[in-house]
Amino acid sequence: EQQASQALSRVAKPLLPLLDDFQRARSGRSADQVLDPLQRKFLNVLESELKVTRMATSAGDPFDPRLHEAVAVAPGDMPADTILQELEAGFVDARGEVLRPAK
């Protein structure tokens, strides 16, 4: 029980400054002034504390059903099974396990 509590504290503690940033965003600052640093901080917490990294997926990459989830199919000049656009980033854990496929 104590180990579980300590693990939760290790996860929660670096997330608390993100709540502060949300509060600052609500106080009237421009969205760019708050949201860009907030996103960077959040990704940093994912990477440094939780060892979760964003998958590198770009338009033109081959579609891999183990890593990607198709949202739509569109005709075009690109070869079949080619990613046209990433709508949501995919994430993997430290072991390379897909936590969420890219869409």
Side-chain angles (χ1 to χ4, degrees):
E1 187 175 309
Q2 184 177 2
Q3 285 180 327
S5 177
Q6 289 173 341
L8 286 173
S9 292
R10 283 194 306 269
V11 171
K13 188 174 180 179
L15 296 175
L16 296 177
L18 300 175
L19 288 174
D20 298 333
D21 289 339
F22 278 115
Q23 182 61 39
R24 281 190 279 279
R26 295 173 61 91
S27 71
R29 289 187 176 184
S30 79
D32 288 342
Q33 286 179 321
V34 178
L35 294 179
D36 289 343
L38 178 61
Q39 183 179 21
R40 281 193 301 276
K41 283 181 186 180
F42 190 80
L43 287 171
N44 185 48
V45 168
L46 285 176
E47 291 174 0
S48 64
E49 301 294 328
L50 303 175
K51 308 303 183 223
V52 171
T53 55
R54 184 180 181 152
M55 291 191 296
T57 301
S58 300
D61 287 352
F63 179 83
D64 182 341
R66 296 171 298 162
L67 304 174
H68 310 115
E69 182 180 322
V71 179
V73 177
D77 298 333
M78 301 290 274
D81 295 334
T82 300
I83 296 171
L84 301 177
Q85 179 183 15
E86 181 185 60
L87 301 175
E88 291 181 1
F91 290 88
V92 295
D93 66 15
R95 299 168 302 168
E97 298 279 331
V98 175
L99 299 175
R100 182 177 85 179
K103 295 180 182 178

